[in-house]
Amino acid sequence: MTGILLLNGQPPKFVAVPKGAYIICADGAYSWAHQLGVNPNLTVGDFDSLGYVPIDCETIELEEEKNETDGEFAIKLFKEKNCTEVFVYGALGRRTDHFLGNLALLGLGYELGIKVVLVGDDERISLGCGEVKFKPCDKKGTISLVPYGETAHIINSKGLYYPLEDLVLTKNDTRGISNVACDEDVKFFVEEGKVLILESWRE
């Protein structure tokens, strides 16, 4: 099953909802969800941002003082719903601390066996480990790889303008920034560590 998570960051212009997707809305994101025609199955949070508890869907009201964000709580709920992939909207923009925290959701999803993708209007961020295959966006843009942790060792690649051969990326260098897809399919192999895959595009 596919999951859709709406967070209270920068509202997107559009949310793609696959048929049968399970939708969780976090607190203040509820205020823009319906404007985009998205009807959540569940809304979670302490509702300090929204200011009230919704009554038109199932809700889980959390304590205001808690040890995890609404996003982390929601990803764990998706595991209970047997979701294998979750697309997260509203994870980017506004507060930098929340954005960095939202990157941790990628690692949490990996540990739970869920592919988590942060989706913006002109970018998306996912996590890669082992053999990575994906179809890049058909709009003109870039693909950047950043270590998710101390280092990442990429053995080889296919479909990228700048080949990645026996490349070790560290948290202190920018070697993986601004590559470009030159094929409909991109793949590479991360032998050690994990990488953030940041795809950005423009009209």
Side-chain angles (χ1 to χ4, degrees):
M1 180 186 294
T2 297
I4 300 293
L5 174 58
L6 310 181
L7 298 179
N8 193 30
Q10 181 65 38
K13 296 177 182 177
F14 174 76
V15 175
V17 181
K19 184 178 180 180
Y22 189 82
I23 305 170
I24 298 179
C25 187
D27 204 331
Y30 180 87
S31 63
W32 54 259
H34 291 290
Q35 297 176 17
L36 297 179
V38 181
N39 300 310
N41 299 96
L42 173 68
T43 301
V44 303
D46 55 26
F47 301 106
D48 60 338
S49 298
L50 186 61
Y52 62 92
V53 179
I55 60 174
D56 63 346
C57 66
E58 182 182 356
T59 60
I60 296 179
E61 191 166 1
L62 306 176
E63 295 291 334
E64 184 174 350
E65 296 184 3
K66 52 188 182 298
N67 294 321
E68 60 185 1
T69 63
D70 296 342
E72 181 179 347
F73 182 83
I75 293 296
K76 295 173 182 177
L77 289 179
F78 282 117
K79 176 64 175 179
E80 296 178 11
K81 296 294 181 179
N82 297 315
C83 291
T84 56
E85 60 179 0
V86 173
F87 296 93
V88 185
Y89 292 82
L92 314 176
R94 290 188 173 172
R95 288 181 53 176
T96 302
D97 55 345
H98 276 293
F99 165 66
L100 293 175
N102 291 335
L103 290 177
L105 301 182
L106 301 173
L108 173 61
Y110 178 83
E111 291 181 354
L112 296 177
I114 302 172
K115 180 181 179 180
V116 176
V117 182
L118 309 185
V119 184
D121 292 327
D122 53 9
E123 63 184 322
R124 63 188 176 201
I125 306 173
S126 57
L127 190 65
C129 179
E131 186 176 41
V132 179
K133 297 179 180 180
F134 66 94
K135 291 184 177 296
C137 178
D138 57 5
K139 300 179 183 178
K140 185 177 181 179
T142 60
I143 298 173
S144 296
L145 304 178
V146 177
Y148 189 78
E150 293 290 326
T151 62
H153 185 189
I154 301 174
I155 298 298
N156 52 44
S157 68
K158 181 181 180 181
L160 292 173
Y161 182 80
Y162 300 105
L164 308 177
E165 302 293 336
D166 193 22
L167 174 64
V168 176
L169 296 174
T170 77
K171 66 177 183 179
N172 296 324
D173 66 63
T174 58
R175 176 72 168 78
I177 300 297
S178 293
N179 211 323
V180 180
C182 57
D183 201 334
E184 293 182 354
D185 297 287
V186 170
K187 68 178 182 179
F188 53 89
F189 192 87
V190 185
E191 184 179 57
E192 297 179 7
K194 304 178 184 66
V195 293
L196 292 172
I197 306 168
L198 301 99
E199 301 172 74
S200 62
W201 55 85
R202 54 190 181 275
E203 297 294 341

